[in-house]
């Protein structure tokens, strides 16, 4: 007798081995029809998988995240099937699931075009309608190599040949197409209904530039049509919000080939930068941080001691002087440790908090650079807190609450919390890991922050919290971090005098809230589609004269606004007022104040809010009060 335990705790007895599909059918016809896969003792399997001993089973449907991944994985195989039908000479290589979709790499005599994608997608729909069963079989490695060589699939044969000789491999077939795969897959191709091919790109075989350039086809697949439509809408909206387009439209910044991965900030963009930096500087001042500044380059020997040279040197820019090798800093922590080590510290001084707007450089690959979101030169709101072990929880709790407030001030209230715990290869005692992990978990619990554990994804020396925010389109951006590190202080000789007068090594907490200022500003631009709230907007108010007779009055209004701390400017051009308003509106200014003869006589302004809102005529004093009330963090919308 075999007992199968379901997620609700109930058990179903079977007098012989039973498949996942059969268990689903025993529960109900609806579940049998909906089943895409199963989870047997936590392992994802096909519905054809046979359970031959007592086990726990969860039936996976399209409502589950695992179910959507199975759909995407199977759709990648459907893509390969369609390509082989249309272009028999093409060879298939690999096709994994990625965020929101999948891709598959192909070797063909020419790159695929967008016209090819239309044909391939149509063929995929045609094959899916056949509702062919997806069948799994297992072969010895060498037999599988021979099979794929025999059908001319050299890349698949190479992949299989790299598997140990004593292992079997699984193959999946649907109709005339067979592919190497661990699975699982949907029971039949008819379950694949809502997909779209998105784009083509080049990709080297096995990611090595010395190998052949393949054609990578990207696609997306969803369980429901409305989910696919919503995703395509988000992509369309994201295209409109692209920070590079808005950056050009609003004259914020640019990048160019002579300085790849470096940003040229224009006056408007630098105003945004200054607002963000000065806001964060106040956060430092009001929360017990001492602002510091470290050198831009440090001798190679220091990077060797810190461990960066061994593990990170390929991403570091170096220079030489007087037969000494220096590295441009990719991060600020070794410099902060030098500041800490410059004096003798007592336990009474801890926690000791350092903060720096640290300019860092990393030699990222040119292909990964993306506007101001992924750069080689960037500035972090970097901070390091030196603590004793029993201070970790309190510091993490205070930091989490601070981060929540900062994100809310910028308009982000939906935060995702993840804790990366001990990896297999690690240093330190189990007791120290237990304490550090519990401190992080307890801190998030105390802050009312629901968290997810990322098992085994911590650094070799300590666990960490990752803080991610969701933007207006529901996209997730990982910005903040809190990393527990007892390793680097020990490597670089940091100590404090304990209560018993012994010398002990402090724990260093690496922490950032917005992370890279460049990237965070890019996130802000896309979140608000360039229409930044007044306190962040580089150009807050334009006062436009109807005729030259009001120019002097317009300048007077501007000066009064400036005196109240508002970034105001006068538009005194001889153009028609309708043209001025239209052009200023395209610049996404929060407010446009129009002044004609009547307004000048009354000491008033005719106010237009962003989005073509007519707010009517109001006294200058009232308008200044309105602007001042919105010129502070946390004010996200104009009236």
């Amino acid at each position: 007798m075999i007992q199968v335990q379901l997620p609700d705790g109930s058990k179903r007895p079977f007098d012989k081995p039973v498949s996942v599909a059969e268990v689903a059918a025993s529960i109900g016809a609806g579940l049998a029809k909906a089943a895409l896969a199963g989870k047997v003792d936590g392992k994802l399997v096909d519905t054809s998988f046979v359970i031959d001993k007592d086990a726990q089973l969860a039936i996976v449907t399209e409502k589950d995240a695992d179910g959507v991944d199975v759909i995407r994985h199977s759709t990648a195989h459907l893509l390969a099937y369609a390509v082989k039908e249309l272009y028999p000479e093409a060879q298939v290589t690999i096709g994994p699931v990625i965020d929101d979709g999948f891709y598959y790499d192909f070797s063909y005599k020419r790159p695929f075009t967008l016209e090819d994608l239309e044909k391939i997608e149509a063929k995929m729909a045609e094959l899916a309608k056949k509702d062919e069963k997806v069948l799994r079989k297992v072969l010895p490695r060498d037999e599988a190599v021979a099979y794929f060589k025999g059908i001319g699939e050299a890349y698949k044969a190479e992949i299989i040949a790299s598997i140990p000789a004593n292992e079997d491999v699984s193959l999946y077939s649907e109709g005339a197409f067979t592919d190497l795969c661990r699975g699982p897959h949907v029971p039949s191709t008819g379950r694949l209904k809502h997909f779209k091919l998105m784009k083509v790109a080049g990709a080297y075989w096995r990611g090595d530039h010395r190998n052949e350039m393949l054609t990578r086809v990207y696609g997306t697949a969803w369980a429901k049509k409305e989910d696919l439509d919503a995703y395509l809408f988000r992509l369309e909206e994201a295209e409109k919000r692209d920070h590079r387009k808005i950056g050009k439209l609003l004259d914020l910044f640019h990048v160019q080939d002579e300085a790849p991965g470096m940003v040229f900030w224009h006056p408007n963009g630098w105003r945004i930068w200054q607002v963000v930096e000065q806001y964060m500087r106040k956060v430092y001042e009001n929360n017990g941080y001492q602002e510091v500044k470290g050198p831009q380059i440090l001798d190679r020997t220091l990077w060797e001691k810190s461990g960066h040279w061994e593990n990170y040197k390929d991403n570091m820019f170096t220079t030489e002087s007087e037969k000494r090798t220096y590295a441009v800093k990719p991060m600020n922590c070794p410099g902060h440790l030098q500041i800490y080590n410059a004096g003798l510290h007592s336990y009474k001084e801890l926690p000791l908090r350092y903060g720096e707007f640290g300019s860092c450089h990393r030699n990222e690959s040119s292909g990964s650079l993306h506007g101001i979101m992924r750069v080689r030169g960037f500035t972090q709101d970097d901070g390091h807190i030196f603590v004793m072990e029993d201070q970790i929880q309190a510091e993490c709790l205070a930091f989490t609450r601070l981060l929540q407030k900062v994100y809310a001030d910028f308009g982000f209230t939906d935060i995702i919390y993840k804790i990366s715990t001990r990896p297999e290869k690690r240093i330190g005692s189990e007791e120290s890991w237990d304490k550090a992990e519990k401190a992080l978990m307890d801190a998030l619990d105390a802050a009312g922050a629901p968290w997810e554990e990322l098992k085994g994804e911590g650094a070799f020396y300590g666990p960490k919290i990752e803080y991610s925010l969701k933007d207006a389109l529901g996209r997730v951006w990982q910005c903040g971090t809190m990393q527990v590190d007892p390793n680097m202080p020990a490597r670089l000789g940091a100590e404090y005098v304990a209560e018993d007068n012994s010398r002990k090594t402090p724990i260093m907490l690496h922490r950032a809230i917005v992370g890279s200022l460049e990237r965070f500003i890019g996130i802000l631009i896309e979140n608000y589609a360039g229409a930044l709230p007044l306190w962040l907007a580089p150009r807050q108010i334009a006062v436009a004269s109807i005729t030259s007779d009001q120019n002097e009055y317009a300048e007077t209004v501007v000066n009064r606004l400036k005196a109240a701390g508002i970034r105001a400017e006068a538009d005194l051009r001889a153009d028609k007022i309708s043209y001025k308003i239209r052009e200023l509106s395209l610049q996404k200014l929060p407010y446009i104040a129009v002044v004609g003869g009547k307004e000048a006589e009354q000491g008033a302004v005719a106010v237009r809010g962003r989005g073509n809102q007519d707010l009517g005529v109001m006294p200058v004093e009232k308008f200044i009060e309105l602007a001042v009330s919105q010129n502070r963090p946390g004010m996200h919308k104009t009236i």
Side-chain angles (χ1 to χ4, degrees), residues 275-524:
V275 173
V276 174
E277 181 179 325
Q278 296 310 320
Y279 167 85
M280 292 306 301
R281 179 163 277 117
K282 284 293 183 184
V283 168
Y284 282 177
E285 291 175 3
N286 295 337
N287 290 276
Y289 287 84
Q290 301 178 58
E291 190 172 338
V292 298
K293 188 70 174 176
Q296 204 60 33
I297 63 171
L298 294 167
D299 191 279
R300 166 181 171 167
T301 56
L302 183 61
W303 297 110
E304 289 174 339
K305 290 178 184 177
S306 70
H308 290 95
W309 191 262
E310 178 184 357
N311 298 299
Y312 207 73
K313 65 180 177 182
D314 290 342
N315 293 92
M316 297 168 72
F317 290 102
T318 59
T319 186
E320 291 189 3
S321 175
E322 297 179 341
K323 298 182 180 181
R324 294 176 65 181
T325 300
Y326 299 87
V328 182
K329 65 176 179 179
M331 52 200 65
N332 302 296
C333 30
H336 288 189
L337 273 159
Q338 304 315 300
I339 296 171
Y340 179 91
N341 287 346
L344 182 62
H345 299 281
S346 163
Y347 72 95
K348 295 179 181 179
E349 297 176 65
L350 306 185
L352 180 61
R353 306 179 188 97
Y354 289 154
E356 178 179 359
F357 297 99
S359 179
C360 300
H361 291 77
R362 297 178 184 174
N363 191 15
E364 305 282 1
S365 67
S366 58
S368 69
L369 302 178
H370 179 68
I372 63 175
M373 296 286 207
R374 186 73 178 266
V375 291
R376 288 176 172 169
F378 59 96
T379 299
Q380 293 178 307
D381 73 310
D382 210 357
H384 294 91
I385 308 172
F386 296 91
V387 297
M388 296 180 286
E389 189 173 64
D390 61 2
Q391 295 174 322
I392 294 175
Q393 181 182 337
E395 282 301 302
C396 291
L397 173 58
F399 174 75
T400 299
R401 286 176 171 160
L402 176 61
L403 174 140
Q404 291 168 335
K405 181 184 184 305
V406 170
Y407 284 3
D409 280 350
F410 283 109
F412 303 108
T413 55
D414 196 346
I415 306 171
I416 298 170
Y417 308 86
K418 296 180 180 181
I419 299 179
S420 299
T421 56
R422 70 194 76 185
E424 286 188 16
K425 294 183 178 180
R426 57 185 181 270
I427 62 173
S429 67
E430 293 304 292
E431 181 184 6
S432 66
W433 275 92
D434 289 341
K435 288 181 178 179
E437 290 174 356
K438 186 176 187 301
L440 299 188
M441 294 172 183
D442 288 348
L444 290 186
D445 287 341
W451 50 271
E452 173 190 347
E453 181 179 353
L454 301 177
K455 288 188 176 181
E457 295 191 20
F460 72 92
Y461 50 79
K464 68 176 177 178
I465 304 174
E466 290 182 355
Y467 303 84
S468 302
L469 55 85
K470 277 190 179 181
D471 70 6
L473 296 182
R475 296 174 299 179
V476 176
W477 304 92
Q478 196 267 309
C479 295
T481 187
M482 169 60 78
Q483 172 85 52
V484 179
D485 182 5
N487 178 63
M488 197 179 299
R491 293 185 69 137
L492 296 183
E495 293 180 334
Y496 68 92
V497 179
E499 191 171 3
D500 62 2
N501 285 324
S502 65
R503 299 294 180 91
K504 292 187 176 179
T505 301
I507 290 172
M508 182 164 65
L509 304 178
H510 306 251
R511 49 105 288 175
I513 298 180
V514 304
S516 158
L517 268 69
E518 287 82 355
R519 180 169 174 267
F520 190 72
I521 290 171
I523 294 169
L524 287 171

